[in-house]
Structures are given as C-alpha cells and as structure tokens.
Amino acid sequence: MVSKVALLLTVLVCSQYMAQGVYVVSKAEWGGRGAKWTVGLGNYLSYAIIHHTAGSYCETRAQCNAVLQSVQSYHMDSLGWPDIGYNFLIGGDGNVYEGRGWNNMGAHAAEWNPYSIGISFLGNYNWDTLEPNMISAAKQLLQDAVNRGQLSSGYILYGHRQVSATECPGTHIWNEIRGWSHWSG
C-alpha cells in the first residue's frame, strides 16, 4: 500500500512538473545565494532581452554551478546588486538556471528592466558557439514564459545590443536570434 501511495505521489509530482513547463535548476541547486532584496515584476511583459555573460563557458552541471556562483559573486560583491542580474541563465549543458526567476525584476538592461525578462547564456558568444540544446532550452523557456503569463503572447525579442551600447549578446547569439519568431530589428 505504501509503495502504491509513493507511486501515485510520484506521478502527480511529475505531471505537475510537465504542466508547468521547462525545468529550471533552482538557485539552491546550483549553490547560489539568496537575494538581499527583490522588486516585483509584472505579468504580460512586452519584452524578452537576450544576453551573454561574456565570461566562462561551461559544459557540465558542475562547471555551470561554479560559473553561476562566480557571476553572482561579481554582480553582488563587485557591482553591489542585490542578486545576480538575469532572470534566467542557460549553460552549455543545455540546462536553464534560475537567476532572479519569475516575477522578480532583473538588473540586465537599465531602463528596460521593468518591462522585460532577461535571459543570459553562460559564456562569451563572440567566440563560443551555441549548441542545439541551448537554443532549444531558450525557446522552451520563452514559450513557458508566455504560458505562465510572464510574457505577453506578442512579446518582442531583443538582443541586449538593441537596447544598450554593448556587444552583448555576442556575434554568434546575435546571428542566431535574428531568425527567431518575436525578434524585432
């Protein structure tokens, strides 16, 4: 009887996970610190902004955990931000990692933060290249954002360089996202 109850609970948890969309590795799972404070972010946002961290690339969960901790330390300790700047980050392992997460305003694109979610790829995409699993993860995350009501169904996708004087998100990402639905030139 206990095993049947355990099986039923497992099925319910898995179906809940599937109904909620893409799996996001939580900040606790990658060893991140909690935010010092947060500012809420509305729903049905009009923009998603794509970035790169311009730092180290990672291919394994362990490598990505270390890179994420480094990015968070830079943002919090050097820049004085209350948390890592992006809502979500994507590693070379194809995992989506929680940054500030859903419904928390990021610090990724100055005046655009209240109106957008920020998604960053770990690495420097002036020379690193996107793998198919990373592209798939980003597209699934964007669709999940629409399904959850975080992004409006007619959202506009920008590369960071379109809203700020920067090379971000790097040439390889820039060339990729210009072919995605919702991208606006």
Side-chain angles (χ1 to χ4, degrees), residues 27 30 68 71-72 75-76 81-86 89 99-100:
K27 200 180 295 184
W30 60 258
L68 286 156
V71 172
Q72 187 184 43
H75 287 183
M76 293 178 79
W81 296 350
D83 199 356
I84 196 166
Y86 312 106
L89 301 97
R100 294 197 183 192

Side-chain angles (χ1 to χ4, degrees), residues 10-72:
T10 302
V11 168
L12 288 172
V13 167
C14 289
S15 65
Q16 180 71 13
Y17 156 71
M18 294 308 289
Q20 290 183 355
V22 67
Y23 177 73
V24 176
V25 178
S26 73
K27 200 180 295 184
E29 289 176 284
W30 60 258
R33 293 184 272 168
K36 292 178 183 174
W37 48 270
T38 62
V39 174
L41 184 64
N43 287 317
Y44 303 103
L45 300 170
S46 299
Y47 304 97
I49 301 177
I50 303 295
H51 304 263
H52 71 161
T53 58
S56 298
Y57 180 82
C58 59
E59 295 181 316
T60 67
R61 176 80 177 269
Q63 289 174 339
C64 291
N65 290 349
V67 171
L68 286 156
Q69 291 166 15
S70 176
V71 172
Q72 187 184 43

